[in-house]
DNA sequence: AACAAGACCTGCATGC
DNA sequence: TGCATGCAGGTCTTGT
């Protein structure tokens, strides 16, 4: 569900709500999400002041005073929502973070594919979940050259390769399809077969799509919303994702003849593309 | 080593 | 109306 733009939008929303505030009460309503919630989770966070909210790929990092860091991932259906106290938790509201004289942050996740863990200021980058992540696509160092190094020699389809968080951190099913569309590359192409100009175009497309999606507050399909409850609106700008049979925004061919945007399955996930524009 | 497929879990849309 | 089926923004594990 949340890919980089959604997690970044949530990060920005949480920053305004949490930074500088103290967690006066943390309520844990079940023992596990996708993995067990670590022992002493609520107790260790209680009383801490939040100093920053960061993002690495699709992971959120909540820095607290005393060097404690909460790591979180929203999986497919996870939400972080801000509510005015007192909050009466509903179904799937697994964690509540009550701040001093302020709002409560609720971690809601019906499918429980999300996770939380605790780490420290010194050790977070070596956390098993983060250590193998690839480059941040919106960081200054992310260039066609870097992307080319990441995919060199791979015979796997570029669509599948880009979903590997060790190749580029933060891309998911929506933004991979959209990036390949914008760069005119067929999702089935072996990753290592891309020419240098194609890799350059792809790196640029990834950055552009992600930047535009963040500006739109992310994409709201089923579960995702911003911490305020507002929906993102980038879904209205999809060129291909979930648009099988619709007209390609840039081809002016007859849908009745061409079938429009195509849907395929790669690595057990749906892929959308324009068979005419992407080669 | 690289890759495909299954597993995890709930909710929703669709079709009979 | 009710039930079965398939599908969903992710990632980890198992098997070839």
């Amino acid at each position: 569900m949340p890919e980089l733009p959604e997690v970044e939008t949530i990060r920005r929303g949480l920053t305004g709500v949490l930074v500088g505030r103290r967690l006066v009460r943390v309520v844990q309503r079940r023992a596990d999400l996708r993995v067990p919630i670590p022992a002493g989770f609520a107790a260790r966070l209680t009383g801490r002041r939040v100093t920053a909210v960061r993002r690495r790929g699709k992971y959120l990092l909540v820095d607290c005073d005393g060097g404690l860091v909460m790591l979180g991932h929203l999986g497919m259906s996870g939400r972080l929502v801000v509510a005015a106290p007192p909050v009466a938790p509903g179904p799937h509201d697994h964690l509540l973070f009550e701040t001093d004289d302020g709002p409560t942050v609720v971690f809601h996740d019906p499918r429980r594919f999300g996770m939380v863990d605790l780490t420290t200021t010194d050790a977070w980058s070596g956390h098993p979940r983060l250590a193998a992540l690839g480059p941040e696509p919106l960081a200054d160092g992310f260039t066609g050259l870097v992307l080319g190094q990441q995919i060199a020699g791979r015979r796997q389809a570029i669509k599948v390769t880009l979903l590997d968080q060790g190749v580029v951190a933060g891309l998911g099913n929506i933004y991979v399809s959209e990036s390949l569309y914008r760069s005119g590359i067929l999702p089935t192409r072996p990753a290592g077969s891309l020419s240098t100009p194609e890799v350059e175009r792809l790196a640029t497309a990834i950055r552009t799509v992600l930047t535009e999606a963040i500006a739109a507050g992310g994409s709201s399909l089923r579960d995702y919303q911003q911490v305020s409850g507002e929906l993102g609106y980038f879904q209205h700008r999809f060129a291909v994702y979930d648009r099988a049979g619709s007209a390609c925004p840039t081809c002016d061919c007859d849908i009745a003849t061409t079938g429009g945007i195509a849907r395929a399955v790669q690595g057990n996930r749906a892929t959308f593309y324009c068979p005419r524009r992407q080669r």
Side-chain angles (χ1 to χ4, degrees):
Chain A
M1 154 272 155
E3 305 182 30
L4 188 153
E6 291 75 37
V7 178
E8 177 61 21
T9 302
I10 288 168
R11 186 196 72 76
R12 293 178 184 187
L14 282 183
T15 295
V17 170
L18 288 180
V19 172
R21 288 228 164 88
R22 196 176 291 282
L23 303 176
V24 292
R25 185 161 172 253
V26 176
V27 180
Q28 177 182 335
R29 305 186 64 235
R30 58 176 298 128
D32 54 16
L33 296 172
R34 183 163 203 267
V35 295
I37 295 170
F41 178 81
R44 289 181 66 192
L45 285 166
T46 301
R48 306 266 177 176
R49 193 175 292 283
V50 175
T51 57
V53 184
R54 293 179 291 142
R55 179 189 59 73
R56 174 77 173 99
K58 299 173 192 170
Y59 288 89
L60 282 168
L61 295 147
V62 179
D63 292 312
C64 300
D65 58 9
L68 188 68
V69 178
M70 181 179 75
L71 178 66
H73 192 289
L74 296 171
M76 291 276 268
S77 58
R79 284 183 196 172
L80 283 165
V81 180
V82 175
V87 173
H92 312 307
D93 288 345
H94 306 307
L95 296 165
L96 278 66
F97 303 89
E98 298 178 10
T99 61
D100 53 340
D101 191 31
T104 296
V105 174
V106 179
F107 187 121
H108 171 95
D109 185 7
R111 294 176 73 178
R112 303 201 303 276
F113 285 178
M115 57 80 64
V116 291
D117 200 2
L118 294 175
T119 179
T120 65
T121 307
D122 295 331
W124 69 270
S125 64
H127 188 283
R129 298 273 186 155
L130 304 182
L133 289 179
E136 281 292 327
L138 295 182
D140 286 344
F142 186 76
T143 60
L145 184 64
V146 168
L147 179 59
Q149 290 166 351
Q150 293 296 102
I151 66 176
R154 296 217 179 203
R155 278 171 287 187
Q156 197 179 35
I158 186 65
K159 159 74 197 306
V160 178
T161 303
L162 290 176
L163 286 176
D164 182 340
Q165 300 300 296
V167 172
V168 179
L171 296 179
N173 215 29
I174 293 174
Y175 298 105
V176 166
S177 278
E178 294 295 319
S179 299
L180 287 170
Y181 170 81
R182 292 197 186 200
S183 45
I185 297 164
L186 269 181
T188 47
R189 290 272 305 280
S193 76
L194 271 57
S195 68
T196 301
E198 284 175 328
V199 175
E200 288 289 344
R201 290 211 308 271
L202 180 55
T204 301
I206 288 170
R207 295 179 66 113
T208 309
V209 167
L210 295 177
T211 302
E212 290 179 13
I214 291 169
S219 303
S220 291
L221 301 184
R222 279 157 283 274
D223 301 302
Y224 169 73
Q225 57 184 47
Q226 303 184 30
V227 297
S228 59
E230 281 179 273
L231 302 180
Y233 54 90
F234 192 72
Q235 67 278 11
H236 302 303
R237 308 248 297 273
F238 291 166
V240 291
Y241 183 80
D242 205 20
R243 296 193 68 240
S246 302
C248 165
T250 51
C251 292
D252 60 348
C253 47
D254 178 15
I255 307 180
T257 322
T258 63
I261 300 300
R263 180 187 191 273
V265 175
Q266 292 178 281
N268 276 336
R269 323 261 333 252
T271 296
F272 301 89
Y273 63 102
C274 172
R276 287 156 294 283
R277 211 182 111 78
Q278 293 172 252
R279 299 292 160 137

